[in-house]
Amino acid sequence: MIGAAGKDAGRPLEHGVARMERLLELQNVILEMIAKGEALERTGTRLCLEVEKLVPGAICSVLTVDSHGLLHPLAGPSLPSAYSAALDGIATGPRVGSCGTAAFSRTPVTVTDIATDDRWTDFRHLALPLGLRACWSSPILDAHGAPVGTFAFYYRECRGPTPAEEEIVGYCVHLGVIAIERDQRVLDRERRAYTDALTGLANRAAFEAALGQLPCTVPEAWAIFVVDLDNLKVVNDTFGHHTGDCLLRIASERISNAVWPDRCFRIGGDEFAVIVQSASMLQAPEEAAEHILATLRTPSDCAGHVVVPRATIGGALLAEDDRTAERVRQNADFALYHAKESGRGGFIRYWPGIGTSITRRLTAIRDVDEALRDNRIEAHYQPIVLLETRQVVGLEALCRMRVGDRVLPAAAFHEATTDAHVAHELTARMMALIAADVRHWLDLGIPFKHVGINVSSADMHGSVDRVLEAAFAAEGVPLQHVILEVTESVYMGQGSRIVQSAVEALRAKGLRVALDDFGTGFASLTHLLTVPVDIIKIDKSFVDRLAPGDPSEAIIEGLIRIAGKLDIRVVAEGIETEAQARHLASLGCLLGQGYLFSRPVDRDATTALLMGR
């Protein structure tokens, strides 16, 4: 191995076979380092040291040349660090020492006397105090002939290279181009891996890496802003993804400019992050966030469409009890979620306690998302019976999530449905399961009547009709077997006009609609005059209080009479005792459901119920 102690170490190259053997050893050592992925600086330094052993008295140096034609020291182990640093960032040119001139001219340059050669006019004050009298530089050219570096010999006497030294440099230049081009390929791959292709910003991987480098020892030394674009989906849906991409590029540029010199990252489809370290932004985070929002709000021309980027920001400063950067990032996410739920378009700064409800919600979303991926979402059914005969005349489908040996009711993960994506996926999965089960019962010859399916506010504001039709069409099940159950809070709450219009459209397709949990929300008897429903389900709270003389008795009796005149069927929910069942029947209620008849059960148990086993 070159560099090992031996009779050849530190001696000039011999002629003939011995010289070739030592050059091959040099080549093998450097190629092995390149193949193993050693750092370019270490490879260059090893090359210089080994060559200096072969040419006693010479001093070796390797510089790189960047795409802008600027020189950067790579290796010069026998030169003072101050000398190498003085060359960093100097542009190549016809009078820039030996190396700068060689890179510029793309040909070797020999300066036999640094003291008098005009190419060294600006640099001899660096070389002469070190006893350097001459320099010979060779350009390292890539496959296209562009300079990527230089390899230089410095001499302490005024002279040029010997033939043996020229042969050495031939090997060195060849090895240099291999090492530098490989390093450039690695850097290019890393750059692509850490750069968002659309915006040119650093991406999520780069953000994760940057977080890992942040110290967590000094409170409020840095902060994280998470910026979420509010109108990307609207722009995509209205004008197309080409316009949406234009919006993202404009937003990324504006955010970057607004937070400079702090660094901005694109970490998701419409989400950006800023690591805030500048003193001005840390001292007034609210003002900094407002500056970002104001910078974004300028109207823009996106592919011929006028678009106004709008965003919501959540932020968190490093606190005394924050032990990791990930904790600060999570706090910023909590603040963003709170900002979006409170009203988009502003900034919320994290404070202790903000995360409790959000953590619960995010946990529910994560758990349901995982359950969907693992096929642990199940449909259970509770029968609806004729109170007089206890004959099963219908079912209500209820969503369940299996966790190990436990089966969790929907109430345990209801908060997950506040996420539109999860709510949509959950509804689609339940529709598919229910349609398959109904198909199974019909194939068994069971005179199946109907199944009630609960839908959320997100479903009614989305495309529940298409999801429903697709699921039941796939199983060949007519929609006459479906009743959609909508709670009062959904039907009469925010956006009620949209929900009511959706219900009207569904009924026009032949679907029946039930108003669930009647009496607990916004509805009153007068709503039955205008709300298009086929069934109302009396909430369990009325049934629990049912007793002679109790106001609930009068309310239920009056509701049954009014519903009958409006041709609306009534189902009493939550029946748990025979006394309740008899009392309801005496008041004219025909249908009921509750634990008295059956708890919600899986498909096999439901099949047995339907078959009267």
Side-chain angles (χ1 to χ4, degrees):
M1 288 282 292
I2 295 294
K7 63 180 182 179
D8 293 328
R11 295 179 55 192
L13 282 179
E14 300 88 346
H15 295 287
V17 176
R19 180 175 67 197
M20 183 57 66
E21 287 179 352
R22 295 183 67 188
L23 287 176
L24 288 175
E25 288 179 358
L26 168 65
Q27 176 176 277
N28 290 339
V29 167
I30 301 304
L31 288 177
E32 184 177 0
M33 294 183 74
I34 295 171
K36 289 182 176 180
E38 293 279 2
L40 181 61
E41 183 178 354
R42 289 190 61 187
T43 303
T45 299
R46 182 68 179 273
L47 179 64
C48 289
L49 290 173
E50 297 298 346
V51 171
E52 287 173 358
K53 292 176 182 178
L54 299 177
V55 187
I59 296 175
C60 294
S61 169
V62 181
L63 302 179
T64 59
V65 181
D66 66 21
S67 59
H68 301 291
L70 303 181
L71 296 171
H72 302 285
L74 175 66
S78 298
L79 291 169
S81 58
Y83 178 88
S84 297
L87 302 179
D88 193 22
I90 292 176
T92 60
R95 295 169 55 85
V96 186
S98 306
C99 293
T101 305
F104 181 78
S105 63
R106 306 186 186 190
T107 58
V109 171
T110 303
V111 174
T112 57
D113 188 353
I114 289 175
T116 60
D117 195 299
D118 63 0
R119 288 170 292 191
W120 271 84
T121 300
D122 296 331
F123 306 99
R124 61 172 60 102
H125 69 284
L126 298 172
L128 294 178
L130 301 175
L132 305 180
R133 294 294 179 264
C135 184
W136 172 48
S137 300
S138 297
I140 301 174
L141 306 177
D142 65 13
H144 304 289
V148 293
T150 62
F151 186 89
F153 270 178
Y154 290 93
Y155 303 111
R156 297 187 184 280
E157 63 271 7
C158 294
R159 72 175 180 90
T162 67
E165 291 167 354
E166 290 179 347
E167 187 175 11
I168 293 174
V169 172
Y171 274 81
C172 292
V173 168
H174 176 66
L175 294 171
V177 72
I178 294 174
I180 291 173
E181 286 192 328
R182 180 195 177 279
D183 186 68
Q184 288 179 339
R185 289 194 296 272
V186 171
L187 291 176
D188 188 54
R189 284 197 298 270
E190 290 180 350
R191 192 177 299 110
R192 290 197 298 269
Y194 287 99
T195 302
D196 177 60
L198 177 64
T199 64
L201 291 180
N203 63 11
R204 175 179 286 274
F207 179 58
E208 300 285 354
L211 285 182
Q213 301 298 316
L214 291 172
C216 298
T217 53
V218 181
E220 300 191 2
W222 53 268
I224 293 176
F225 283 1
V226 184
V227 184
D228 186 82
L229 292 183
D230 293 334
N231 55 341
L232 177 63
K233 185 178 186 303
V234 173
V235 170
N236 280 334
D237 292 346
T238 306
F239 302 122
H241 287 272
H242 180 68
T243 305
D245 289 348
C246 177
L247 170 63
L248 283 168
R249 286 190 290 268
I250 289 173
S252 67
E253 182 179 355
R254 291 180 178 177
I255 296 171
S256 294
N257 291 337
V259 303
W260 190 88
D262 290 321
R263 194 177 181 195
C264 178
F265 306 78
R266 184 186 178 202
I267 60 174
D270 56 0
E271 197 166 273
F272 300 83
V274 180
I275 296 179
V276 180
Q277 294 177 290
S278 57
S280 59
M281 289 185 68
L282 290 172
Q283 289 169 2
E286 288 78 9
E287 293 179 12
E290 180 52 41
H291 175 60
I292 296 171
L293 294 172
T295 302
L296 281 171
R297 282 194 289 263
T298 303
S300 307
D301 185 342
C302 285
H305 303 286
V306 177
V307 174
V308 180
R310 301 189 184 279
T312 302
I313 303 177
L317 273 71
L318 174 68
E320 188 171 356
D321 58 347
D322 290 332
R323 297 290 179 262
T324 65
E326 182 58 33
R327 172 74 174 272
V328 184
R329 173 206 187 157
Q330 186 181 63
N331 291 344
D333 283 336
F334 286 158
L336 176 63
Y337 280 118
H338 186 73
K340 291 196 292 187
E341 289 184 345
S342 302
R344 292 176 177 269
F347 168 72
I348 293 291
R349 177 176 171 177
Y350 174 83
W351 72 88
I354 193 176
T356 303
S357 61
I358 296 175
T359 299
R360 189 169 59 245
R361 174 174 172 255
L362 292 178
T363 299
I365 291 171
R366 181 199 63 203
D367 290 346
V368 172
D369 191 53
E370 290 179 356
L372 284 164
R373 291 198 303 268
D374 298 341
N375 293 316
R376 291 186 286 106
I377 296 298
E378 302 177 358
H380 284 213
Y381 302 90
Q382 188 173 39
I384 297 172
V385 304
L386 285 170
L387 293 179
E388 185 175 350
T389 64
R390 307 299 165 89
Q391 177 189 355
V392 177
V393 296
L395 302 170
E396 179 181 356
L398 299 165
C399 185
R400 296 292 184 262
M401 182 170 70
R402 186 171 294 279
V403 180
D405 296 331
R406 296 181 300 150
V407 177
L408 302 183
F413 52 90
H414 173 73
E415 285 185 303
T417 60
T418 60
D419 181 272
H421 173 74
V422 170
H424 174 79
E425 292 297 318
L426 203 56
T427 297
R429 181 67 54 85
M430 282 294 292
M431 296 288 189
L433 292 171
I434 295 165
D437 290 345
V438 174
R439 179 72 270 160
H440 173 69
W441 295 323
L442 292 174
D443 290 344
L444 289 176
I446 295 173
F448 184 82
K449 293 188 177 180
H450 59 78
V451 59
I453 303 175
N454 294 284
V455 290
S456 68
S457 176
D459 296 325
M460 298 306 296
H461 285 80
S463 53
V464 66
D465 54 337
R466 293 195 296 272
V467 175
L468 177 69
E469 288 174 325
F472 279 77
E475 298 291 344
V477 176
L479 292 182
Q480 68 189 46
H481 294 294
V482 178
I483 295 175
L484 288 186
E485 299 195 8
V486 185
T487 64
E488 285 186 15
S489 59
V490 171
Y491 212 157
M492 304 297 177
Q494 188 176 17
S496 60
R497 184 60 252 170
I498 296 174
V499 174
Q500 290 173 24
S501 297
V503 168
E504 291 169 357
L506 291 169
R507 293 182 81 239
K509 295 181 179 181
L511 284 162
R512 286 171 290 174
V513 175
L515 187 56
D516 199 10
D517 300 335
F518 187 85
T520 62
F522 300 92
S524 66
L525 292 178
T526 57
H527 283 116
L528 298 180
L529 299 174
T530 56
V531 173
V533 296
D534 304 284
I535 301 166
I536 58 174
K537 302 185 77 173
I538 301 174
D539 186 71
K540 180 179 184 299
S541 60
F542 289 96
V543 175
D544 288 343
R545 295 184 52 180
L546 187 60
D550 189 276
S552 62
E553 180 184 52
I555 291 173
I556 292 175
E557 185 176 16
L559 179 60
I560 292 171
R561 188 165 55 251
I562 293 171
K565 292 183 179 296
L566 296 173
D567 198 24
I568 297 173
R569 298 167 67 189
V570 175
V571 178
E573 295 182 293
I575 301 173
E576 296 183 352
T577 68
E578 284 289 352
Q580 290 172 337
R582 289 194 298 270
H583 199 157
L584 286 164
S586 70
L587 296 175
C589 184
L590 302 179
L591 302 170
Q593 71 179 96
Y595 287 175
L596 175 63
F597 314 114
S598 174
R599 291 176 176 271
V601 292
D602 62 18
R603 186 180 82 162
D604 292 339
T606 302
T607 302
L609 283 172
L610 292 173
M611 298 182 73
R613 295 176 183 170

